Amino acid sequence: MTTNDSSPAGDLGPEMATIEKELERFPSAVLEKYTAAYSELENRLRPQDLLDWANHALAIAGKAVRSWEAAAEYLEASPAVQRQLPSGQFIRWAAIGGRLCEDSPSLAVSFFKASPDALTRLRPRYVDDWANLGRALYRGTWKSSNLACHFYEISPQLLESLTFAEFTRFGESLQVLSRRSYDLADECLVKAARLFPRLGEDRDAFITVSHDLAEHSWREVKSLYDSASTSLTALEPAYRARLLMIARRLIAVEQTAIGEFFAGASNAVNHVPTEFRQRLLELAEEPLASSPSSVNLLITQAPNILDRLSPSQFEEWHREGMRAIAESPESGPAFYRLESARSRESLDQLSSGVELNRVKDLLRTYCSALSARDIEVNATSTIVDKKIGWVDEQSATTEGTTIYLPPVADRFPQKDENFGWYKVIATHQSCHIEFGSFEFDFDTPSTLFEDLRPQMKPAAKVATDVSAVVAELAEAAIPGISVPEAQEEEGGIETAYLTDMGRFFDMFTDRTLGLDIFTVVEDTRLDSRILHEYRGLAASYLQTQEFSLRERPRIEGLPMREAMIEFIVRLSLRQTGSIKVPKDFTDIAQQIRRLVNMLSEIGATVEDSAEVATRIYAMIADVPNNTIPEEEFEDVDLDDDIPDEDEEENTDEILQMFGGEGESAGEETGEAAETDEQEQIDEESYDSPEDVDYRGEFKPEMAQLLSQISMDSADFDGEPEPITQEQLEELLKNSTELEQGEMEEGEEGQQQQMDEMLENLMKEMQQRDPDNQQFGDGPLVHVPEEGGPLEATEPKTFVYPEWDFRANDYKPKWCVVHEKEMAEGEPQFYQDTLNEHSALVREIHRQFELVMPEMFRKVKRLEDGEEFDLDAVIESVIDRRTGTTPSDKVFWRRNKVERDVAVAFLLDMSASTAEAIDENKRPTDDWGAPDDPVEYMVWLRSRRAEGLRRSYKRIVDIEKEGIILLTSALEQTGDMYGIYGFSGYGRENVEFYVIKEMEERWSPSIPKRVDRIAPLHATRMGPAIRHATSKLTQVDAKSRILFMISDGRPQDRGYSREGVEKEYAVHDTRVAFDEARKEGVTPFCLTVDKNGHDYLKTMMQDMSYEVLSDITMLPTRLPQLYRELTQA
Amino acid sequence: MTTTEYREYRVEEYTVAEEPFYAPLSDEIDIFTAAYQQRLPILLKGPTGVGKTRFVEYMAWKLSQPLSVVQDGTKAPASNNGESAIPLVTVACHEDMTASDLIGRYLLDADGTRWVDGPLTRAVKVGGICYLDEIVEARKDTTVIIHPLTDHRRMLTIDKLGQVVEAADGFLMVVSYNPGYQNALKDLKHSTRQRFVALEFDFPPPEVEMEIIKHEADVDSEIAEQLAKLGDKIRNLRDHGLAEGSSTRVLIYAARLIKQGVAPRRACQVAVTWGITDDEQMQRSVDEVVTTIFA
């Protein structure tokens, strides 16, 4: 040991001095660092080593122009490194760095810089290997040097979480990658450093995967790192290892979208029940060999499938999938993607859940039968999406015409139980309609009670139903209350009630409480009624009630007022035995029980419910909403006989609750009580009771509002007062039925929500107005003509391609046809037409009679035929015997040409058909609709309004007359026929109105629908023809005819190129007719456009058409044409 | 010698002996009686199975009864002895029916021909009620022969015989048809239609229908009530793809099956559901209504 020599350099002093001198050639930093390091090392190294060390520094510095920087780093790192390496190794380290410097000084810089940190985690013997790993990444280019440097820099970080073996393999995988792309390798390096610490024990497996992947499909590696850092890390280690193992095997069979796999699979695994996760991954390995592409799908679909199936059913389903794969490996992916019928069937069979879509039609018919009304059944999401006040997708509800049910019923293990559940909730909703929940009339007397409603006064704001109410109020004014002047400012008339329900709820100071009571009371009435009327349902209904009862919250935990409400809910669910209520209110509870019980009377009406609600409200509203100790609750015995109403009901007392509180009212609800009594200051805010699940949501006020609109406009006489936006806003503010989802904080947020809801509601009401029904299911949406293909997303919509004659090709999925049933109007027009043309009708009938009967029945009494007509023969013999001249017409023959015709009439309902047929009276505004949909509506309305006053006949009227005359004759022939109208605005809004479907039987509705044929928008013939063709091809008939009646050339917004080439529309129409012909449909076009000859020649080519020179000839000509056409 | 298992009547001698059960819907009995007193022909409109035929039978019986009520508790057998009873001749019309089928025809026999009166001629001669069921089914040229019988002339022309028969005093023409087929082909000609006093029949309200079912099938009120309810609900589906509602007749059939011990749900299925429609979806819907009503 010579390290303790007094002269540190010992004998080597001169040499050291030379080195020092040499180093002066380089930038001063080198020498500074040298000196600093020297002073540290001189005592720690043997002189020889020290010399070597110094020599290395010199060598490094001199290797290349910039290598002095490497030297500086070398010197800087040396003391730290020396502490970790035995001296031999230390010099080796220097030598390795020196070699690196030969290749690239910057490599050496990074190496040295990283060394002190790296070496704390690296065994000395691996230094060489480490250096080589980095070195291997360097291939002389700038990018490669960057990568290698980066590798060194990050090494300490990597080594923190990796063993050296892992580290080596990672380095190798980087090499593989770097051969493809340095950038990619570099990115992965960075990501890896962040990822590895989070992978726990699975680093090794992951590195293997990444290595394999780099070899198989290097491009996927980046996404692997990307997704691994979010997905794998979120997974529990046990599943992670398994997933990695699967991944390796996938790579081996060239399934290389591993990043995607990890992302999807991790997410999926985390979304299946914990106890099934391991099993799922086990199952996922099964198709690895036979159908590797199914593996990912199996895992990612699992959460979906498990929504419908139990784990054991899932395995069953998977078995079926494996069987499918065994039969044909290609079928795997489709099976697991649920795209094969086999898979769906198996799923359906297994899942006990009932999907609404499968039973929707059934329930619709069922509910229509029960309620005697035309009821629609739809998923709850459809009404929630409308954003008009309904928010809960799990609760059944109705707005009076449609019953909304949750999308799946799966609360029971058996399918029929689940269907039974649907039946129960659908019946409940349907009975709201059947038993008149929404027909509440404020002024209709109840059947069981003394009516309090007429004497009640509105709570907060005295609605001024014009003068009457005001006067009444003034008269009945309780001292101290004068009719508030303020109302005058609000403008009396606007606050007239929109609905009777609203008027009723306005009587309650606390509307929420009022609604809650009314809801449970009305539901009680319904339930009793249902159990009485529908005994077949009773068993499952009672079971459902029992079920719901079990779910109720503990009554003792509720504040008193809520407890009282809960008491009623439990009563309504037929709890037996006893129910606890706050002990101060047991008398009230018994009284409530008596009232509620009265509603099980069969004749009880919704007005009775209202009266009961009123009375209960009067009893409960003053109950403080305090939580009280459990001991304060006392049982109310439900087996007791219901106490007789021993004393006269004190109606005054009840009435005091209504209007009497007017003093303090006028602020927000609920505040009134606060000012009254001090003890209520610490009262808890009142919460509505939990919904009874099978009863769903009950929104009588909204339902009345919505159904009122459709009814108002249905009776035609006199325009109904249009509902103003202000009125609606008022309703929305007051109504407690509207849950606005998560209430947004702050006034502004609420206002915004309110506005949105208001807008939606206006939209909804406009749609419900039958006068507006033509405007389709939503606002017209502009789809640019340049845009791409469209999808038929809504029911009853169809997409069709369009022919672009310039491109000489179809534009796929270009037009959306919206099919709608025509609304019903008045039958008057139909009758008038038949009367007006009675002569013509007879004529047509005779003509048809002449041709038709013999064509399809056995023809008797012929001179020649297939066989003797026995009757005729006998008659003939008898005639001979009796001496009269016998007839020789004694044969019959069956006419072989059985008439088998299906015809679709396609009526042009474009705006231009509004033109008067008499040129002089032609309205001034010609076809020139504004382009903007909003303006267009205004324009259209004005046109329609004009139409109402017209005294002249329009083209469309003539069309209607023709079709009426023809149908009356068609009924005679037994031909199958459909009547359709078309119009539209833009390719996304081709409207196709069904006046009569091909298979539909004639009914009194048909004339009413004919009445509604009216000029609408533009003429996009192509899609209408295609749609009519598809209808024709669905019926079974020997000859199929497409009979179009139009008033001019096809035109529509964008039904041209650059809006000028009229040929575009004409060509598309021609192609559409051609397609029809290929389908075996005979097209025929009848037009009343005098200029029709020019374009019809192009449009129809060799197909038949006719141009009527005199439009008034149409009713005469149409039946003739039809006869000629069908007699072929 | 041996007792025959059946009873045989000549068509013009059939009278309704026992009082048929009939639950009036409104004033149809009075109207019919008044029309009969005035010998005004009667047209009965209504869907199948509402009781048109039963009504005619009932009226034939009722009009045969002496006007004065029997005084001493004992039923006067005279009322049914054929003297005062009004014969009821029923003809079901079909599309191949010819005029001869109503009026009569010559038949061949060994050495010549023999004339046989048709049912209509017989009714005219004996002064009975001639009931042409589903008249629209008959061809229009057939129906015109009843025209002279349905106005002031009250006579029947038998052109083959070169005869005119004046109707006996008791004769009345009653026809029925089902306007359910709203089809131009199956409609009465106006010239025919306007010769009749028209009585419209629709399904009885549930309370009445319940009584009918109860009586006809001898079931208890609850079953009868539930069946009536079922009928009512099913009729709501007439606008939803069901051609005709369930008739009172099928409800009675169901009731009878129940009476025989068939489970109510099953009885309704075989007697009602499967009878009214072949559409599976509709059958399921109706089945659900059945299970809702019957336990």
Side-chain angles (χ1 to χ4, degrees):
Chain A
M1 293 288 267
T2 55
T3 43
N4 287 344
D5 279 1
S6 55
S7 160
D11 308 346
L12 304 171
E15 287 185 54
M16 294 298 286
T18 325
I19 292 171
E20 218 170 301
K21 203 147 198 107
E22 288 279 311
L23 286 175
E24 275 170 20
R25 288 193 290 121
F26 300 99
S28 56
V30 179
L31 194 58
E32 278 165 33
K33 300 221 159 130
Y34 173 77
T35 333
Y38 183 82
S39 63
E40 278 208 56
L41 292 173
E42 65 176 345
N43 292 323
R44 295 198 254 144
L45 290 177
R46 281 177 298 167
Q48 185 54 47
D49 289 338
L50 198 61
L51 183 62
D52 285 347
W53 168 77
N55 266 326
H56 272 297
L58 192 58
I60 292 168
K63 286 242 158 84
V65 190
R66 308 278 299 172
S67 61
W68 64 268
E69 289 169 344
E73 287 299 338
Y74 166 65
L75 292 169
E76 166 114 56
S78 292
V81 172
Q82 191 275 328
R83 259 181 242 122
Q84 295 169 32
L85 296 179
S87 50
Q89 298 284 358
F90 176 65
I91 297 307
R92 247 188 92 67
W93 169 75
I96 292 165
R99 273 210 310 284
L100 281 178
C101 194
E102 267 169 42
D103 294 319
S104 156
S106 42
L107 231 59
V109 168
S110 301
F111 175 75
F112 287 130
K113 220 180 194 167
S115 289
D117 276 343
L119 285 170
T120 56
R121 299 181 179 92
L122 202 63
R123 295 223 193 135
R125 55 191 157 112
Y126 291 138
V127 173
D128 212 358
D129 294 340
W130 175 48
N132 285 338
L133 276 176
R135 171 67 189 79
L137 294 172
Y138 177 69
R139 278 180 216 94
T141 61
W142 175 73
K143 276 190 173 179
S144 70
S145 121
N146 261 359
L147 175 66
C149 293
H150 213 160
F151 176 75
Y152 285 126
E153 283 161 24
I154 288 179
S155 291
Q157 222 180 314
L158 291 171
L159 286 166
E160 221 169 294
S161 43
L162 301 182
T163 64
F164 192 71
E166 289 164 354
F167 180 75
T168 311
R169 287 225 317 288
F170 174 67
E172 281 161 10
S173 80
L174 271 188
Q175 273 177 47
V176 177
L177 268 188
S178 70
R179 263 178 242 129
R180 305 292 187 167
S181 158
Y182 291 108
D183 288 345
L184 184 68
D186 194 59
E187 271 188 72
C188 291
L189 177 63
V190 176
K191 290 176 201 293
R194 272 185 248 130
L195 175 66
F196 288 143
R198 300 164 63 201
L199 278 183
E201 295 309 305
D202 301 306
R203 296 175 301 252
D204 186 39
F206 181 82
I207 292 167
T208 314
V209 166
S210 91
H211 191 268
D212 288 356
L213 191 59
E215 299 226 16
H216 277 85
S217 179
W218 59 276
R219 283 175 213 278
E220 299 285 348
V221 177
K222 177 168 176 275
S223 92
L224 171 74
Y225 279 94
D226 275 339
S227 96
S229 64
T230 54
S231 62
L232 283 184
T233 51
L235 217 53
E236 278 180 57
Y239 313 130
R240 193 158 58 202
R242 192 115 199 178
L243 214 54
L244 284 162
M245 218 157 79
I246 296 175
R248 263 195 87 177
R249 293 180 60 187
L250 283 175
I251 295 168
V253 290
E254 301 296 334
Q255 291 288 320
T256 54
I258 298 298
E260 225 174 275
F261 169 68
F262 280 157
S266 315
N267 187 32
V269 168
N270 279 333
H271 280 89
V272 306
T274 331
E275 64 277 15
F276 190 64
R277 291 179 182 169
Q278 191 64 36
R279 181 70 188 137
L280 173 65
L281 294 176
E282 283 169 30
L283 295 177
E285 286 176 19
E286 291 176 10
L288 262 171
S290 44
S291 173
S293 44
S294 302
V295 175
N296 184 21
L297 293 165
L298 169 62
I299 301 176
T300 49
Q301 284 286 348
N304 278 338
I305 306 287
L306 285 164
D307 274 350
R308 294 182 53 189
L309 300 183
S310 67
S312 61
Q313 287 170 325
F314 180 90
E315 289 207 37
E316 203 50 54
W317 176 72
H318 169 64
R319 292 272 87 77
E320 182 64 23
M322 290 305 289
R323 277 192 285 276
I325 291 173
E327 280 162 42
S328 149
E330 290 80 48
S331 68
F335 183 94
Y336 287 106
R337 222 181 277 127
L338 282 182
E339 280 171 5
S340 79
R342 180 169 182 175
S343 155
R344 287 193 160 274
E345 272 162 26
S346 152
L347 183 61
D348 284 350
Q349 206 189 345
L350 288 167
S351 75
S352 56
V354 178
E355 288 176 321
L356 180 61
N357 274 337
R358 296 183 170 268
V359 294
K360 205 163 113 178
D361 289 340
L362 181 65
L363 289 173
R364 185 184 61 217
T365 325
Y366 168 78
C367 292
S368 297
L370 290 195
S371 63
R373 250 153 283 200
D374 225 337
I375 289 199
E376 273 301 322
V377 170
N378 239 324
T380 38
S381 56
T382 48
I383 191 159
V384 172
D385 289 348
K386 282 180 181 168
K387 295 207 174 69
I388 51 172
W390 277 268
V391 290
D392 187 355
E393 292 206 6
Q394 290 310 313
S395 292
T397 188
T398 177
E399 33 64 290
T401 53
T402 304
I403 290 175
Y404 296 95
L405 301 173
V408 181
D410 53 3
R411 49 176 64 205
F412 299 102
Q414 293 297 319
K415 201 166 186 133
D416 45 351
E417 287 174 308
N418 284 319
F419 178 75
W421 164 254
Y422 259 140
K423 208 172 147 183
V424 165
I425 59 175
T427 308
H428 186 85
Q429 296 303 327
S430 145
C431 286
H432 269 307
I433 299 169
E434 183 183 358
F435 300 125
S437 290
F438 306 125
E439 280 154 33
F440 173 77
D441 182 344
F442 194 87
D443 298 318
T444 302
S446 63
T447 61
L448 304 167
F449 297 91
E450 182 192 340
D451 284 298
L452 298 178
R453 282 167 292 151
Q455 304 164 54
M456 284 158 66
K457 291 163 205 78
K461 289 179 231 92
V462 181
T464 48
D465 189 5
V466 210
S467 51
V469 178
V470 179
E472 204 183 297
L473 251 181
E475 218 178 84
I478 304 153
I481 313 171
S482 55
V483 180
E485 311 284 328
Q487 284 143 26
E488 307 290 339
E489 298 166 21
E490 286 178 23
I493 301 159
E494 275 94 324
T495 38
Y497 298 101
L498 286 178
T499 64
D500 283 87
M501 214 66 246
R503 183 174 165 200
F504 176 64
F505 287 135
D506 241 21
M507 306 291 153
F508 296 89
T509 313
D510 185 343
R511 279 183 79 118
T512 313
L513 184 63
L515 173 67
D516 289 343
I517 296 176
F518 180 72
T519 303
V520 52
V521 160
E522 174 67 3
D523 280 332
T524 313
R525 180 183 77 94
L526 282 188
D527 283 355
S528 309
R529 190 72 190 265
I530 289 167
L531 287 169
H532 172 81
E533 298 275 342
Y534 301 124
R535 273 165 237 168
L537 204 59
S540 43
Y541 210 88
L542 289 171
Q543 199 191 349
T544 308
Q545 287 193 332
E546 209 186 307
F547 205 80
S548 299
L549 198 55
R550 266 183 257 148
E551 311 264 290
R552 299 309 300 171
R554 256 170 59 83
I555 207 161
E556 295 92 326
L558 295 172
M560 289 198 280
R561 199 186 307 149
E562 288 172 33
M564 291 310 285
I565 299 283
E566 184 60 29
F567 168 74
I568 316 178
V569 173
R570 283 163 173 261
L571 266 189
S572 78
L573 290 171
R574 295 169 186 265
Q575 177 152 349
T576 49
S578 61
I579 306 176
K580 284 197 188 306
V581 297
K583 67 176 175 198
D584 293 344
F585 300 104
T586 47
D587 286 350
I588 287 187
Q590 286 292 6
Q591 282 180 49
I592 289 176
R593 199 176 137 222
R594 182 181 60 80
L595 286 168
V596 170
N597 247 11
M598 285 175 75
L599 287 174
S600 47
E601 201 101 350
I602 293 322
T605 62
V606 64
E607 285 81 16
D608 289 308
S609 294
E611 290 294 330
V612 168
T614 309
R615 285 162 171 79
I616 294 181
Y617 179 84
M619 296 177 205
I620 289 185
D622 275 345
V623 173
N625 204 32
N626 294 334
T627 311
I628 49 165
E630 284 192 21
E631 319 73 271
E632 305 270 307
F633 278 85
E634 198 173 89
D635 274 332
V636 171
D637 196 340
L638 300 179
D639 299 329
D640 269 1
D641 285 338
I642 291 175
D644 278 339
E645 191 186 353
D646 34 31
E647 57 208 273
E648 273 297 291
E649 181 171 53
N650 189 345
T651 53
D652 287 346
E653 215 166 82
I654 298 171
L655 281 169
Q656 255 178 22
M657 291 303 294
F658 300 94
E661 278 191 346
E663 296 151 274
S664 48
E667 298 106 296
E668 284 297 75
T669 52
E671 283 175 15
E674 220 171 294
T675 51
D676 285 358
E677 292 168 49
Q678 277 164 348
E679 57 170 12
Q680 288 177 17
I681 286 173
D682 51 18
E683 176 176 299
E684 290 162 41
S685 67
Y686 167 79
D687 282 327
S688 296
E690 268 176 43
D691 282 344
V692 178
D693 48 6
Y694 75 92
R695 289 174 180 163
E697 281 189 284
F698 180 48
K699 295 191 191 295
E701 190 176 356
M702 291 303 290
Q704 276 205 335
L705 177 70
L706 292 171
S707 55
Q708 203 152 298
I709 293 150
S710 7
M711 277 180 337
D712 271 358
S713 345
D715 66 321
F716 238 59
D717 305 330
E719 279 291 294
E721 279 293 311
I723 292 173
T724 65
Q725 186 155 339
E726 290 74 27
Q727 284 178 308
L728 265 187
E729 207 169 325
E730 189 67 22
L731 182 143
L732 289 185
K733 271 193 199 131
N734 288 332
S735 181
T736 45
E737 289 175 13
L738 307 172
E739 301 155 45
Q740 291 155 325
E742 288 298 297
M743 253 308 177
E744 274 175 42
E745 288 298 311
E747 292 269 308
E748 223 165 277
Q750 286 188 17
Q751 186 56 41
Q752 199 182 333
Q753 276 191 324
M754 178 74 80
D755 289 347
E756 195 188 336
M757 199 182 286
L758 189 66
E759 196 179 307
N760 292 332
L761 203 55
M762 292 291 273
K763 226 187 284 170
E764 176 71 16
M765 300 204 307
Q766 197 179 31
Q767 267 175 49
R768 278 166 188 266
D769 184 349
D771 285 341
N772 277 331
Q773 82 97 33
Q774 277 92 344
F775 298 120
D777 296 323
L780 289 183
V781 196
H782 263 298
V783 173
E785 287 298 323
E786 301 76 37
L790 299 168
E791 292 295 337
T793 45
E794 295 155 46
K796 292 262 175 193
T797 55
F798 307 84
V799 282
Y800 291 98
E802 192 164 280
W803 178 259
D804 181 352
F805 80 108
R806 292 274 176 221
N808 205 25
D809 196 1
Y810 285 103
K811 292 175 173 169
K813 295 190 173 180
W814 200 247
C815 298
V816 177
V817 172
H818 298 258
E819 187 180 310
K820 296 165 197 161
E821 186 176 287
M822 184 64 96
E824 293 186 9
E826 298 299 307
Q828 201 52 37
F829 186 85
Y830 190 86
Q831 269 311 322
D832 287 351
T833 306
L834 288 183
N835 295 344
E836 188 184 334
H837 296 277
S838 56
L840 185 56
V841 171
R842 269 198 304 279
E843 173 65 22
I844 297 170
H845 272 240
R846 210 179 43 247
Q847 285 174 348
F848 274 66
E849 221 163 321
L850 283 175
V851 195
M852 306 310 167
E854 67 207 34
M855 300 195 72
F856 65 116
R857 48 169 76 166
K858 197 159 131 181
V859 188
K860 291 180 173 181
R861 294 172 198 275
L862 299 174
E863 291 176 9
D864 188 18
E866 294 171 32
E867 231 179 293
F868 281 118
D869 178 350
L870 202 58
D871 286 347
V873 172
I874 294 170
E875 255 170 56
S876 176
V877 174
I878 289 166
D879 285 348
R880 203 150 12 134
R881 296 249 177 115
T882 53
T884 42
T885 319
S887 163
D888 47 5
K889 296 180 173 171
V890 291
F891 292 95
W892 64 262
R893 177 178 62 213
R894 192 177 298 279
N895 207 318
K896 289 276 197 254
V897 200
E898 274 202 21
R899 202 177 157 78
D900 191 7
V901 180
V903 57
F905 292 97
L906 204 48
L907 297 185
D908 183 351
M909 285 166 60
S910 61
S912 50
T913 56
E915 280 175 29
I917 49 170
D918 184 342
E919 292 289 320
N920 301 329
K921 290 184 188 166
R922 167 195 283 263
T924 42
D925 53 339
D926 209 86
W927 170 241
D931 225 24
D932 178 76
V934 181
E935 281 174 44
Y936 185 80
M937 288 298 161
V938 176
W939 174 83
L940 200 81
R941 268 172 212 266
S942 70
R943 269 191 98 115
R944 279 171 11 121
E946 228 165 80
L948 291 175
R949 291 192 297 273
R950 73 187 177 272
S951 53
Y952 52 88
K953 266 189 189 169
R954 304 165 299 175
I955 295 177
V956 73
D957 295 323
I958 301 286
E959 283 183 11
K960 279 155 76 175
E961 285 180 11
I963 210 75
I964 288 169
L965 297 182
L966 188 58
T967 52
S968 73
L970 279 173
E971 279 300 325
Q972 219 177 331
T973 64
D975 290 354
M976 199 188 301
Y977 68 100
I979 308 171
Y980 308 100
F982 71 97
S983 180
Y985 189 68
R987 66 187 178 101
E988 67 283 10
N989 289 306
V990 181
E991 296 156 344
F992 193 89
Y993 294 98
V994 176
I995 295 132
K996 181 185 171 299
E997 281 287 8
M998 308 290 295
E999 289 97 346
E1000 195 177 351
R1001 283 155 35 109
W1002 196 92
S1003 77
S1005 304
I1006 310 280
K1008 292 186 194 163
R1009 287 189 211 137
V1010 171
D1011 185 54
R1012 281 292 191 143
I1013 301 176
L1016 290 172
H1017 314 138
T1019 330
R1020 206 180 193 101
M1021 287 184 183
I1025 293 168
R1026 292 185 177 98
H1027 193 58
T1029 306
S1030 85
K1031 286 194 171 289
L1032 275 167
T1033 51
Q1034 282 161 28
V1035 300
D1036 182 29
K1038 262 184 213 145
S1039 42
R1040 301 192 181 94
I1041 298 162
L1042 177 65
F1043 201 120
M1044 181 151 88
I1045 303 166
S1046 130
D1047 75 325
R1049 65 165 71 247
Q1051 54 186 339
D1052 185 14
R1053 175 173 60 80
Y1055 204 24
S1056 58
R1057 294 235 309 205
E1058 287 93 41
V1060 286
E1061 290 172 341
K1062 290 173 176 165
E1063 296 95 314
Y1064 180 92
V1066 170
H1067 277 88
D1068 177 54
T1069 310
R1070 178 185 63 74
V1071 172
F1073 275 131
D1074 264 344
E1075 291 163 22
R1077 213 151 55 152
K1078 280 185 199 123
E1079 294 284 345
V1081 170
T1082 315
F1084 184 86
C1085 181
L1086 179 64
T1087 182
V1088 296
D1089 181 5
K1090 284 177 204 144
N1091 307 320
H1093 280 294
D1094 58 341
Y1095 63 88
L1096 273 172
K1097 233 171 251 163
T1098 327
M1099 203 163 90
M1100 302 303 289
Q1101 288 185 336
D1102 54 343
M1103 289 170 258
S1104 24
Y1105 65 91
E1106 182 163 310
V1107 179
L1108 272 188
S1109 52
D1110 180 2
I1111 165 113
T1112 54
M1113 287 300 291
L1114 187 114
T1116 326
R1117 188 64 187 133
L1118 188 57
Q1120 285 175 1
L1121 277 171
Y1122 179 75
R1123 261 181 42 224
E1124 286 162 24
L1125 212 56
T1126 56
Q1127 255 176 32
Chain B
M1 288 295 242
T2 51
T3 53
T4 46
E5 296 283 319
Y6 53 89
R7 279 180 279 174
E8 225 175 30
Y9 302 95
R10 291 175 67 83
V11 101
E12 68 276 24
E13 285 168 6
Y14 173 76
T15 57
V16 183
E18 299 285 320
E19 176 180 0
F21 174 80
Y22 182 75
L25 293 175
S26 63
D27 59 350
E28 69 269 23
I29 295 178
D30 297 339
I31 299 286
F32 195 108
T33 310
Y36 185 75
Q37 302 307 339
Q38 290 292 316
R39 303 294 188 261
L40 300 177
I42 293 167
L43 165 70
L44 307 177
K45 283 165 61 162
T48 182
V50 285
K52 299 189 291 289
T53 305
R54 174 60 67 87
F55 175 61
V56 175
E57 286 174 7
Y58 175 77
M59 290 312 297
W61 173 84
K62 187 175 168 61
L63 294 169
S64 305
Q65 306 305 305
L67 282 178
S68 54
V69 185
V70 183
Q71 270 114 13
D72 53 349
T74 59
K75 234 180 177 172
S79 61
N80 280 335
N81 68 355
E83 299 240 327
S84 66
I86 303 169
L88 175 61
V89 177
T90 302
V91 181
C93 302
H94 55 86
E95 61 179 8
D96 277 342
M97 197 170 72
T98 61
S100 315
D101 293 332
L102 286 175
I103 296 174
R105 53 162 54 89
Y106 279 110
L107 294 181
L108 288 173
D109 64 15
D111 28 61
T113 57
R114 181 163 56 88
W115 175 260
V116 179
D117 279 338
L120 179 59
T121 312
R122 295 178 188 209
V124 166
K125 286 179 178 170
V126 301
I129 291 175
C130 179
Y131 176 45
L132 303 181
D133 202 0
E134 300 292 349
I135 180 107
V136 278
E137 295 292 336
R139 301 225 320 242
K140 282 177 183 148
D141 55 330
T142 312
T143 49
V144 291
I145 61 162
I146 66 171
H147 285 188
L149 276 170
T150 52
D151 54 26
H152 63 281
R153 291 171 286 177
R154 286 178 58 81
M155 57 171 60
L156 178 66
T157 311
I158 307 176
D159 53 356
K160 294 247 176 74
L161 295 176
Q163 287 177 347
V164 170
V165 182
E166 268 188 21
D169 182 50
F171 174 78
L172 185 75
M173 177 69 80
V174 179
V175 301
S176 78
Y177 92 112
N178 178 356
Y181 323 103
Q182 277 281 8
N183 181 325
L185 202 63
K186 294 271 171 81
D187 210 353
L188 271 186
K189 284 162 75 89
H190 265 272
S191 56
T192 308
R193 178 196 285 251
Q194 296 209 10
R195 291 166 180 275
F196 292 90
V197 172
L199 283 173
E200 289 227 26
F201 284 72
D202 203 346
F203 296 109
E207 314 85 73
V208 179
E209 193 161 35
M210 168 192 156
E211 287 304 325
I212 297 171
I213 296 167
K214 195 172 149 187
H215 179 277
E216 290 288 305
D218 191 25
V219 289
D220 62 37
S221 301
E222 194 184 327
I223 296 285
E225 188 207 324
Q226 288 171 341
L227 279 167
K229 192 180 292 161
L230 175 66
D232 188 45
K233 299 300 177 199
I234 291 176
R235 283 163 207 153
N236 289 335
L237 292 177
R238 276 187 282 184
D239 293 334
H240 296 268
L242 208 55
E244 290 246 322
S246 53
S247 64
T248 307
R249 186 165 40 224
V250 295
L251 297 177
I252 293 170
Y253 288 176
R256 291 195 172 156
L257 289 176
I258 295 170
K259 177 80 184 163
Q260 282 301 310
V262 178
R265 287 182 173 183
R266 180 74 179 143
C268 290
Q269 192 172 44
V270 295
V272 183
T273 311
W274 293 352
I276 54 176
T277 178
D278 291 328
D279 181 78
E280 264 185 51
Q281 179 77 30
M282 186 55 81
Q283 282 181 354
R284 271 208 69 186
S285 302
V286 174
D287 263 347
E288 291 306 333
V289 178
V290 169
T291 54
T292 291
I293 293 176
F294 291 94

